Amino acid sequence: MTLVGHPFPTVEACRAAAPRIASDWLKDHPALVRDALACTPAADLPALPVRQVADGVHVHLGPVAQFEDSPDGWIANLGFVIGPDSIAVIDAGASRAQGQALFAAIRRISDKPISHLVITHMHPDHAFGAEVFREAGAAILGHERLADALQGRGRTYLDNLTRLYGPGPMIGTRVVLPDKAVGGSLDIDLGGRVLSLTAAPPAHSDNDLTVLDRATGTLFAGDLVFRDLTPIVDGSLPGWLDWMAVPQDAGAIVPGHGPVAQNWDEAVSAQRDFLTALHRATREALDAGLPMSEGVPAIVDALAPLAGRWKSFPESVARDATAAFKELEWE
Ligand SMILES: [Zn+2]
């Protein structure tokens, strides 16, 4: 574990305080025991690769893969914005380990305080590194429905990832709840640099939150935008189509997965085609009176021509067909 919330002027000062800090931390993490203890300059910690996509806006691009095709779940795009006084982090990664690696990446670039962590939605690849940033002093912000979603599903997500990757990659990872709930919109200030947070109606999930950096126009869309990785519907398919129908006034758009887009159309056009086709095929299956057992395979068949444009297509499209069938059945 890297205990990040304690900057020291010297390694000696760190060594003097480290045993007490470690004991205090372990009291709050009773499943873990101390083996060894070391003080390390932040610049020497293993860090995620990041790139600057606009002035003061840094992004880690995750590999385009689903959990099942990843060794550690480090699949989401993560980012941070450096203001005059402080730093805001957008999404924390899949585990404490990834949160620590993101923290180290930030510290290689800036030693300003980390004032905010914004979690774009409940999914573990975005949310599960959060405790690192709470320990670093950040306030955690999320959609007004995020806390309920994490309370309902967090334990299951954590168990599933631990089963998938083993306990090593997930060690020390805990589900933490936001300190502040955002309904509608909220501006946060990094010392004259303002980020505008906007809560979306149910779409990719029921707790999607976007972050717009007013200084550069960069929009962190979370999983409201998938590029190259097959979109997953876990909120509302019609709601997601509605969200995409209103272009955001943004410059670069950082999706939750896949490469940064330079404009709205580049960001959403392929996803719009996919979700529109999913909606149409689901309507047709329902209009034909098919039961779910026949409707889902029919929807999957109808979407097969799109497979070449998307990674992890077969697994994800079957999930999407099931979700869409269940949702539209009740329309
Ligand atoms: Zn997601």
Side-chain angles (χ1 to χ4, degrees):
M1 302 296 108
T2 305
L3 308 190
V4 301
H6 311 272
F8 293 102
T10 62
V11 171
E12 290 67 35
C14 175
R15 285 198 189 113
R20 178 186 52 77
I21 291 168
S23 302
D24 288 350
W25 190 86
L26 284 167
K27 273 183 213 145
D28 192 37
H29 296 75
L32 299 171
V33 295
R34 184 173 132 194
D35 177 12
L37 193 58
C39 286
T40 306
D44 294 348
L45 296 170
L48 281 183
V50 295
R51 65 185 73 181
Q52 186 164 220
V53 299
D55 184 32
V57 181
H58 302 262
V59 173
H60 166 73
L61 292 177
V64 176
Q66 255 310 340
F67 281 123
E68 293 76 10
D69 305 315
S70 160
D72 49 18
W74 297 19
I75 57 174
N77 293 342
L78 314 173
F80 54 95
V81 178
I82 304 176
D85 292 347
S86 69
I87 298 170
V89 179
I90 296 102
D91 281 341
S95 58
R96 181 178 181 95
Q98 195 182 16
Q100 290 174 176
L102 176 60
F103 176 85
I106 295 167
R107 282 293 173 253
R108 287 189 187 188
I109 296 169
S110 171
D111 60 4
K112 289 179 183 175
I114 299 173
S115 54
H116 302 82
L117 166 65
V118 183
I119 298 178
T120 61
H121 66 294
M122 65 182 168
H123 288 146
D125 47 332
H126 301 262
F128 273 15
E131 192 171 37
V132 174
F133 297 97
R134 172 166 288 161
E135 291 168 9
I140 304 179
L141 296 91
H143 190 289
E144 61 185 353
R145 282 190 290 270
L146 177 66
D148 279 353
L150 285 173
Q151 274 168 323
R153 295 210 205 173
R155 187 71 238 172
T156 303
Y157 287 151
L158 191 51
D159 289 348
N160 287 347
L161 292 189
T162 304
R163 199 172 310 119
L164 190 58
Y165 302 125
M170 300 306 294
I171 192 168
T173 303
R174 291 209 301 207
V175 178
V176 303
L177 301 181
D179 303 305
K180 189 167 174 56
V182 181
S185 60
L186 176 76
D187 283 353
I188 60 176
D189 187 351
L190 309 178
R193 185 170 192 160
V194 173
L195 305 185
S196 296
L197 281 47
T198 304
H204 163 69
S205 73
D206 82 348
N207 51 86
D208 299 312
L209 184 69
T210 60
V211 180
L212 177 68
D213 170 38
R214 297 235 166 250
T216 63
T218 308
L219 179 73
F220 288 87
D223 279 3
L224 285 166
V225 177
F226 278 69
R227 301 189 68 210
D228 298 351
L229 182 66
T230 311
I232 295 285
V233 181
D234 197 16
S236 167
L237 175 56
W240 203 348
L241 289 166
D242 288 348
W243 182 83
M244 273 188 294
V246 182
Q248 305 280 315
D249 184 17
I253 295 156
V254 182
H257 299 270
V260 176
Q262 294 312 313
N263 58 62
W264 180 251
D265 203 54
E266 185 183 33
V268 304
S269 61
Q271 173 176 287
R272 188 196 291 125
D273 289 351
F274 173 82
L275 294 175
T276 301
L278 174 63
H279 189 266
R280 189 187 311 118
T282 306
R283 268 273 56 101
E284 285 170 5
L286 288 164
D287 289 348
L290 299 180
M292 197 160 99
S293 59
E294 295 170 33
V296 167
I299 298 164
V300 169
D301 282 351
L303 293 173
L306 298 175
R309 288 163 70 176
W310 299 100
K311 293 260 175 63
S312 298
F313 193 84
E315 317 87 284
S316 298
V317 86
R319 286 179 58 185
D320 283 338
T322 304
F325 193 97
K326 284 183 181 165
E327 184 184 9
L328 299 189
E329 195 176 21
W330 298 103
E331 262 195 347

